[in-house]
Amino acid sequence: MKNIRNFCIIAHIDHGKSTLADRLLEYTNTISKRDMQDQALDNMDLERERGITIKSHAIQMRYVHPANGEEYIFNLIDTPGHVDFSYEVSRSIAACEGALLLVDATQGIQAQTISNLYLAVDHNLEIIPIVNKVDMESAMVEEVQDQIIDLIGCEREDIISASGRTGIGVPDILAAVVDRVPAPKGDPDAPLQTMIFDSMFNSYRGVIAYVRVMNGTMKKGDKIKFYNTGKEVVAEEVGVLKMGQLEAAEIGTGDVGYVITGIKVSKEIKVGDTITHVARPCTEAVKGFEEVKPMVFAGVYPLDNDDFEDLRDALEKLQLNDASLVWEPETSAALGFGFRCGFLGMLHLEIVQERLYREFDQDIITTVPNVPYTATDMKDKTFTVHQPTELPEPNHLKSVEEPFIYAQVITKPEYIGNIMTLCLEKRGILIKQHYLTPTRLEMIFHLPLAEIVFDFYDKLKSMTRGYASFDYHLLDYRETDLVKLDIKLNGEPVDALSALVHRSKAEYMGRRMCEKLKELLPKKQFQIAIQAAIGQKVIARETISALRKDVTAKCYGGDISRKRKLLEKQKEGKKRMKQFGDVEVPQEAFLKVLKLND
């Protein structure tokens, strides 16, 4: 156990975590030169295409320390950097004793660097600060070192200068892991206590659980049980995580590995649960896991209602691999049966949509994303509102509260005006601003969560040329003037297009949706009225004129009254058609209207 080191890499997005992990794997000969590729640990096509890490990836390396010649086992977990995947980071940190804190020498400390650092400090991890990308021409090594010293109070000589691209500093990092990161604590003779920090589904083997052994030893063939669900199974296979899964006879205290139990039902294994022996169980579950708090909710529906069960299976299997996804069944008059899903942000929603399509061949429609509100009715009964149909009529409603976030923006001083304008436009309140260094400024806002779920991050990046970093966490709920915006086609509300918006934004949103629908809906033989309404009050309207068919084409010559008679007859028919005719919203139109804010 004294020769095991468990550590993760934490940093802001694009600070070079995966590239540095590649160099560590190369240096320890975990991957041969022939098999080496960029982002070696990122095994999803999506991760390579976008150049981001979506999933945490664990791998075991072997390293011989040059000073004492001893061999050490390193269990490395490469984590994502985007704020939407911070739950992955929190789970990885719970399985480690140390963390490599990476800071880009060209960009300095950014919001997610600070956020992930606080997570690691809360778990008492040993922090090894690294200034990455020192080979770049625009690297500001001294300034960034000063920022790190201010942030964590370390000595300058504790900071390692490295380059993930060229391999500078890699031997120093590996030596520092041995010297500074403590060996795992635990008792090999105690009852088995193993934490599940991740899992995946294999169609042949069932659910594969990735585990960190806290106490005791787990052998192949052991009778084990899940602490929270109480289910008893046999460990069919245990092993360690190399580039693939490498079977072993046993995994002991301090090890990071995997266990296959043959369970095929994904509900029976929960990330964060504890595995123990049936004969000699542990007395308590492993602590250190926080419950996931979804920030954005959206309805997910299959294009064809017959695919409802397939979509349920796909979501269950995806949830194994992405523990931050939460969902429950719901129905909609316009879209049929579907699921209400909770996501950590808009990028998370986009990635889940894409993964459902690529990995499970599911074509889906996603409704307007919104956030959870707390409503109080006239009888003082309080309940949570996840979708527009759950909000009572205004005459039954006493008050509505919306979630506010504590938002931290780090930027250059020249962009203060742009950021202030954007945040105040989004109903934000400036709490404080202060200079971290002469060229870096931290601004703290209290913002309504509903205002940032759509396009806030994109606008922030474009108006600051990518120099602003953004991080947030949930603060509290505050009273708001919320209204339900209904979209009606010929007087009939379309529930899938309803949205909960602040009264000040309702008219703009209603007008935009009506204009967009006018472009997208196909013409009919009768006139279609598109209305945006709050309760009974119509606040915007567009009209699609009837498709004109020349009924008088075959009526040539003779008196004008013949033509008039035909037109009158057509007019009556159109009037009747308008009464009984249905206005169907095509699937493509749904998708485009829901991308209104793009």
Side-chain angles (χ1 to χ4, degrees):
M1 242 171 73
K2 70 179 175 47
N3 284 15
I4 296 175
R5 298 289 183 273
N6 299 319
F7 65 99
C8 59
I9 305 182
I10 55 175
H12 190 80
I13 191 166
D14 267 347
H15 279 210
K17 294 175 298 301
S18 300
T19 314
L20 186 72
D22 290 350
R23 296 296 80 76
L24 295 174
L25 296 176
E26 253 181 13
Y27 192 87
T28 55
N29 297 319
T30 307
I31 301 182
S32 65
K33 281 263 192 294
R34 192 180 65 181
D35 296 333
M36 194 63 206
Q37 56 177 335
D38 286 346
Q39 289 178 263
L41 292 178
D42 294 346
N43 49 18
M44 246 188 271
D45 292 344
L46 262 177
E47 292 179 309
R48 296 186 183 285
E49 281 167 28
R50 290 172 180 246
I52 59 173
T53 303
I54 293 166
K55 283 285 303 161
S56 291
H57 301 280
I59 189 162
Q60 190 178 93
M61 307 183 287
R62 289 182 179 271
Y63 169 70
V64 177
H65 198 303
N68 57 20
E70 285 191 49
E71 188 180 58
Y72 289 84
I73 291 173
F74 286 177
N75 291 308
L76 159 72
I77 304 178
D78 179 25
T79 64
H82 196 282
V83 63
D84 279 16
F85 306 113
S86 53
Y87 189 60
E88 289 284 324
V89 184
S90 75
R91 300 206 323 268
S92 306
I93 283 173
C96 295
E97 279 85 31
L100 304 182
L101 178 74
L102 239 63
V103 183
D104 187 331
T106 62
Q107 296 181 57
I109 284 173
Q110 294 192 291
Q112 205 54 28
T113 315
I114 298 171
S115 172
N116 289 341
L117 172 70
Y118 289 161
L119 265 177
V121 170
D122 287 347
H123 282 80
N124 298 322
L125 263 61
E126 180 63 41
I127 308 294
I128 300 175
I130 298 167
V131 177
N132 195 23
K133 304 189 187 178
V134 293
D135 59 318
M136 304 281 276
E137 283 179 24
S138 54
M140 311 171 290
V141 180
E142 296 287 321
E143 292 96 312
V144 173
Q145 284 181 344
D146 290 339
Q147 290 176 20
I148 293 174
I149 291 165
D150 287 346
L151 182 66
I152 60 177
C154 62
E155 299 297 322
R156 192 175 290 276
E157 53 270 20
D158 293 342
I159 302 170
I160 300 169
S161 294
S163 163
R165 194 164 59 96
T166 60
I168 297 169
V170 169
D172 300 340
I173 293 170
L174 292 166
V177 169
V178 171
D179 300 336
R180 297 195 219 167
V181 175
K185 294 181 177 69
D187 182 358
D189 302 321
L192 178 67
Q193 193 183 36
T194 303
M195 177 184 73
I196 304 174
F197 68 88
D198 204 354
S199 58
M200 61 171 283
F201 189 82
N202 181 301
S203 24
Y204 301 106
R205 309 297 307 267
V207 181
I208 300 171
Y210 292 166
V211 295
R212 159 75 202 271
V213 185
M214 297 298 186
N215 291 302
T217 306
M218 192 192 303
K219 295 187 177 73
K220 182 178 176 176
D222 278 358
K223 276 197 166 178
I224 53 173
K225 72 169 181 177
F226 297 100
Y227 195 88
N228 290 331
T229 57
K231 185 166 177 68
E232 297 182 6
V233 286
V234 172
E236 291 178 4
E237 182 179 315
V238 297
V240 294
L241 300 160
K242 292 282 192 182
M243 271 315 277
Q245 289 148 356
L246 187 68
E247 191 175 350
E250 62 175 47
I251 47 175
T253 305
D255 280 335
V256 172
Y258 71 93
V259 57
I260 299 174
T261 56
I263 288 177
K264 287 283 201 292
V265 184
S266 44
K267 283 187 199 131
E268 291 173 0
I269 286 189
K270 196 169 184 287
V271 169
D273 202 351
T274 301
I275 297 177
T276 187
H277 280 135
V278 173
R280 191 173 162 226
C282 58
T283 51
E284 61 173 6
V286 181
K287 291 186 175 58
F289 253 86
E290 51 183 86
E291 271 301 306
V292 58
K293 296 186 213 69
M295 296 286 192
V296 177
F297 289 85
V300 170
Y301 294 86
L303 279 180
D304 183 347
N305 260 327
D306 295 345
D307 296 337
F308 174 72
E309 286 302 328
D310 293 344
L311 181 58
R312 183 198 290 272
D313 285 349
L315 282 169
E316 279 180 2
K317 285 169 186 167
L318 188 58
Q319 194 177 29
L320 272 178
N321 200 239
D322 182 356
S324 51
L325 173 69
V326 294
W327 52 271
E328 58 186 37
E330 72 164 8
T331 54
S332 149
L335 299 171
F337 292 104
F339 299 92
R340 185 103 199 130
C341 297
F343 306 94
L344 295 184
M346 289 300 280
L347 177 66
H348 187 209
L349 185 153
E350 214 178 298
I351 295 292
V352 166
Q353 255 179 311
E354 192 65 30
R355 286 186 71 185
L356 282 171
Y357 176 68
R358 290 188 185 200
E359 295 172 28
F360 304 99
D361 207 19
Q362 291 293 319
D363 277 322
I364 56 168
I365 291 177
T366 313
T367 61
V368 181
N370 57 27
V371 298
Y373 297 94
T374 305
T376 308
D377 60 16
M378 290 301 185
K379 295 175 182 170
D380 285 331
K381 186 181 162 204
T382 304
F383 50 93
T384 305
V385 175
H386 285 307
Q387 52 186 337
T389 48
E390 294 172 1
L391 191 73
E393 291 300 315
N395 53 336
H396 293 296
L397 197 61
K398 190 174 183 180
S399 66
V400 181
E401 291 182 340
E402 67 176 333
F404 262 70
I405 57 160
Y406 175 94
Q408 174 197 37
V409 180
I410 297 177
T411 186
K412 289 187 169 184
E414 58 258 41
Y415 301 118
I416 292 180
N418 291 351
I419 293 169
M420 290 284 280
T421 309
L422 175 67
C423 292
L424 296 176
E425 206 179 88
K426 298 282 186 187
R427 300 189 284 122
I429 305 154
L430 178 67
I431 301 302
K432 70 169 183 184
Q433 62 180 54
H434 71 278
Y435 283 85
L436 298 169
T437 69
T439 56
R440 298 182 74 71
L441 172 84
E442 182 186 47
M443 302 170 82
I444 305 292
F445 291 94
H446 287 178
L447 280 159
L449 181 59
E451 294 287 345
I452 70 148
V453 295
F454 282 109
D455 55 355
F456 179 83
Y457 194 62
D458 298 337
K459 280 186 176 171
L460 182 72
K461 280 290 183 200
S462 58
M463 64 174 46
T464 59
R465 298 182 190 167
Y467 279 107
S469 58
F470 175 66
D471 186 38
Y472 63 87
H473 60 258
L474 203 57
L475 192 63
D476 54 18
Y477 278 74
R478 300 181 188 180
E479 198 163 321
T480 185
D481 188 6
L482 192 76
V483 293
K484 180 183 165 195
L485 181 69
D486 285 318
I487 300 295
K488 298 181 177 182
L489 298 179
N490 278 352
E492 290 295 318
V494 182
D495 69 340
L497 293 177
S498 297
L500 295 170
V501 292
H502 192 265
R503 194 179 293 275
S504 63
K505 302 276 174 85
E507 195 175 321
Y508 167 75
M509 189 85 165
R511 194 170 291 129
R512 284 283 308 276
M513 286 185 93
C514 289
E515 286 166 5
K516 193 90 171 182
L517 278 168
K518 187 180 179 181
E519 289 170 30
L520 296 168
L521 289 180
K523 281 190 170 188
K524 297 275 185 184
Q525 299 260 321
F526 51 90
Q527 195 184 62
I528 302 172
I530 305 166
Q531 295 168 310
I534 298 171
Q536 298 304 312
K537 184 186 172 190
V538 175
I539 55 169
R541 172 182 171 133
E542 292 286 340
T543 307
I544 300 177
S545 55
L547 187 66
R548 292 195 58 108
K549 185 177 172 189
D550 191 357
V551 290
T552 61
K554 61 182 184 289
C555 183
Y556 49 87
D559 189 53
I560 186 71
S561 57
R562 289 180 66 203
K563 288 187 178 179
R564 201 167 285 143
K565 188 178 171 188
L566 270 173
L567 289 167
E568 285 297 323
K569 194 174 173 187
Q570 186 193 37
K571 192 174 168 186
E572 283 299 314
K574 290 204 176 204
K575 200 168 159 187
R576 186 173 166 75
M577 205 187 276
K578 191 173 178 179
Q579 278 179 315
F580 298 105
D582 273 349
V583 183
E584 295 266 317
V585 181
Q587 308 288 21
E588 311 84 69
F590 265 122
L591 296 174
K592 284 177 183 156
V593 171
L594 301 179
K595 285 198 165 96
L596 187 69
N597 286 61
D598 287 358

